[in-house]
Amino acid sequence: MTDYQASDIRVGDTEREDALGKLGEHMSAGRLDIDEYGERSAKVTAAKTRGELLDLFGDLPEPRPAFGRPGPAPVAAADRSPSLRHKVVPVLVPVVAVGLAVGLMFIVKLPFVFLLPFVFIAIASSRRRGFNQHIHNAHRQAMRDYRDAMRDQHHRMRADWRDGRY
């Protein structure tokens, strides 16, 4: 790809990031001090066109920002619908669980068939309600913190009582 350096073409974030990386290389090589790097990097983030970026590298050797020929804007990826696995698994798991329960009851020959509606309702409501492990863990941590705070307060009160402060 040939370098296309038209100076009036606007730059995007990727070009600015590339220029900042190249300025960092110049600073690590000792060509720029910290203050000059700070000034130039501020100008890089404010640069609107390729010419403004290239002016910042006028007194520096390679590496310099290289720009390709501008092309059409990339097409945004269309929102993908959930895959078949994500659609089927949440439905299939409760159905298989109920089927296994029914099969186990007939194999063992226990008359618990009348409990099947309750089992099905329990499984279906747990899927609808959902179990969020993060919320569960946060609740458990809050309970532990509360317990520890109460224990600490109890110990402080016992120490105060023992020392005659009450």
Side-chain angles (χ1 to χ4, degrees), residues 12-161:
D13 290 338
T14 55
E15 288 92 355
R16 288 187 196 96
E17 289 174 8
D18 179 48
L20 283 173
K22 303 236 169 114
L23 277 178
E25 290 178 30
H26 287 296
M27 185 182 71
S28 64
R31 295 185 193 102
L32 297 174
D33 61 4
I34 295 289
D35 295 329
E36 193 172 9
Y37 173 77
E39 292 170 9
R40 290 189 190 209
S41 61
K43 290 179 182 177
V44 165
T45 57
K48 301 273 190 237
T49 63
R50 290 180 176 181
E52 292 174 9
L53 281 182
L54 290 174
D55 289 343
L56 297 173
F57 289 86
D59 60 341
L60 295 172
E62 290 293 329
R64 294 179 180 200
F67 307 105
R69 183 168 294 280
V75 178
D79 292 332
R80 293 177 30 181
S81 62
S83 66
L84 183 64
R85 188 183 92 217
H86 288 100
K87 291 179 182 178
V88 171
V89 169
V91 175
L92 194 61
V93 169
V95 170
V96 169
V98 169
L100 288 174
V102 169
L104 182 64
M105 283 189 246
F106 283 115
I107 290 173
V108 178
K109 297 189 189 250
L110 293 176
F112 291 117
V113 175
F114 66 91
L115 292 176
L116 281 180
F118 300 110
V119 170
F120 182 77
I121 289 171
I123 291 172
S125 67
S126 70
R127 295 298 301 165
R128 181 173 52 247
R129 190 175 49 230
F131 178 75
N132 190 334
Q133 186 68 38
H134 298 294
I135 293 173
H136 179 71
N137 288 341
H139 178 70
R140 289 182 67 188
Q141 185 62 42
M143 294 301 291
R144 282 190 204 110
D145 293 342
Y146 177 75
R147 180 197 63 208
D148 294 342
M150 290 293 105
R151 184 184 307 134
D152 293 342
Q153 181 181 2
H154 177 73
H155 289 297
R156 282 193 304 270
M157 289 178 66
R158 287 188 69 189
D160 290 344
W161 182 264

Side-chain angles (χ1 to χ4, degrees), residues 158-166:
R158 287 188 69 189
D160 290 344
W161 182 264
R162 184 180 59 236
D163 296 339
R165 293 184 212 157
Y166 278 126

